[in-house]
Amino acid sequence: MELISAAAEAFSEKYTSPEGEVLYKLNRETHLKVELPHMLSGHVQGRFLQMVSHMIRPRRILELGTYTGYSAICLAAGLPEDGMLHTVDINEELETLCLQYFEASGYSDKIKMHIGKAAEVIDSLDEVFDLVFIDADKAGYVHYYDLVWEKLRPGGFILADNVLYHGQVLQPENEQGSQAKAMVRFCEKVLADDRAEQVLITLRDGLLLIRKK
């Protein structure tokens, strides 16, 4: 399902600050060499993530789902000198590509990449986070939300990607795939959580922005 028309996407990109050389090259290499390139945050969403990071000025960021590192680089842009972003992915085959572009971006000293299962890595981190970006396996979102909540400072933010899941969440329940159903369950969980306030942003494939009260 086309959520946003190609013309609107093109208009949005035209009036959004450009990616910059490193992100452009990473975007292109991902599309040329890596499976499922639609998983990349891309130009407009990447700039949005960067803008959010600049606004919050987080000292600690947790990202679940590195893929090729595009969103990590965008989020790292708002970190202060002593800031750190922990990014987690289960696919060790992409680690070399990620590290290459982290180095090229100039943020390699602020990004720590973890290869492994997200739940296990979250448990191992002795950190308090200002911002969490969830973009991992969709069936795990509910569990990851619970795991990161106690590690998120009061007033901190969670951003969850793909909550519209290609428009499938708008279909009748009996026509939704398992991933779309997982996104609906996640959104319902957050809606029912009186510890949080949230807004669903219809950017790209849907972002749920959550603030811990």
Side-chain angles (χ1 to χ4, degrees):
M1 184 184 295
E2 185 180 67
L3 293 168
I4 304 171
S5 71
E9 288 276 14
F11 190 85
S12 178
E13 289 198 13
K14 178 179 178 181
Y15 292 103
T16 296
S17 298
E19 291 176 292
E21 183 179 1
V22 173
L23 289 174
Y24 172 79
K25 287 181 177 178
L26 176 53
N27 195 337
R28 180 168 172 76
E29 185 166 354
T30 300
H31 278 82
L32 289 173
K33 299 179 180 179
V34 183
E35 292 182 359
L36 306 176
H38 68 274
M39 291 171 58
L40 191 85
S41 287
H43 176 196
V44 176
Q45 181 169 303
R47 274 295 179 177
F48 176 78
L49 295 176
Q50 184 172 326
M51 196 76 75
V52 167
S53 186
H54 278 300
M55 287 190 290
I56 297 173
R57 298 299 291 171
R59 289 190 63 255
R60 292 293 183 268
I61 302 174
L62 174 62
E63 177 184 53
L64 306 179
T66 315
Y67 190 47
T68 57
Y70 192 102
S71 53
I73 292 171
C74 294
L75 289 166
L79 289 168
E81 283 300 313
D82 62 346
M84 179 62 66
L85 182 150
H86 293 271
T87 184
V88 186
D89 205 282
I90 200 165
N91 187 356
E92 62 184 15
E93 293 182 358
L94 294 176
E95 183 177 13
T96 299
L97 178 64
C98 291
L99 295 177
Q100 171 191 335
Y101 277 95
F102 293 161
E103 184 68 32
S105 72
Y107 297 128
S108 61
D109 61 334
K110 295 183 178 182
I111 301 176
K112 170 65 176 174
M113 187 169 185
H114 304 264
I115 300 297
K117 295 180 180 179
E120 294 176 1
V121 175
I122 293 167
D123 277 341
S124 73
L125 294 174
D126 184 20
E127 295 276 16
V128 176
F129 294 101
D130 306 289
L131 174 62
V132 177
F133 182 47
I134 304 177
D135 190 16
D137 57 295
K138 309 313 164 194
Y141 273 38
V142 166
H143 185 44
Y144 301 148
Y145 179 81
D146 288 334
L147 288 176
V148 303
W149 190 262
E150 296 308 317
K151 294 178 182 285
L152 183 70
R153 68 165 174 84
F157 294 87
I158 297 173
L159 266 169
D161 199 10
N162 304 116
V163 292
L164 294 178
Y165 205 74
H166 315 302
Q168 287 186 30
V169 297
L170 307 179
Q171 298 171 343
E173 185 178 355
N174 64 345
E175 296 179 17
Q176 295 172 5
S178 60
Q179 305 279 54
K181 288 178 180 178
M183 291 295 85
V184 174
R185 285 196 302 273
F186 172 70
C187 290
E188 290 287 350
K189 178 181 178 66
V190 176
L191 182 64
D193 189 349
D194 60 9
R195 304 169 302 171
E197 59 184 15
Q198 64 283 332
V199 57
L200 200 159
I201 302 163
T202 54
L203 170 63
R204 189 170 163 266
D205 198 28
L207 285 163
L208 190 63
L209 177 60
I210 304 156
R211 187 181 76 89
K212 183 175 182 176
K213 293 181 182 177

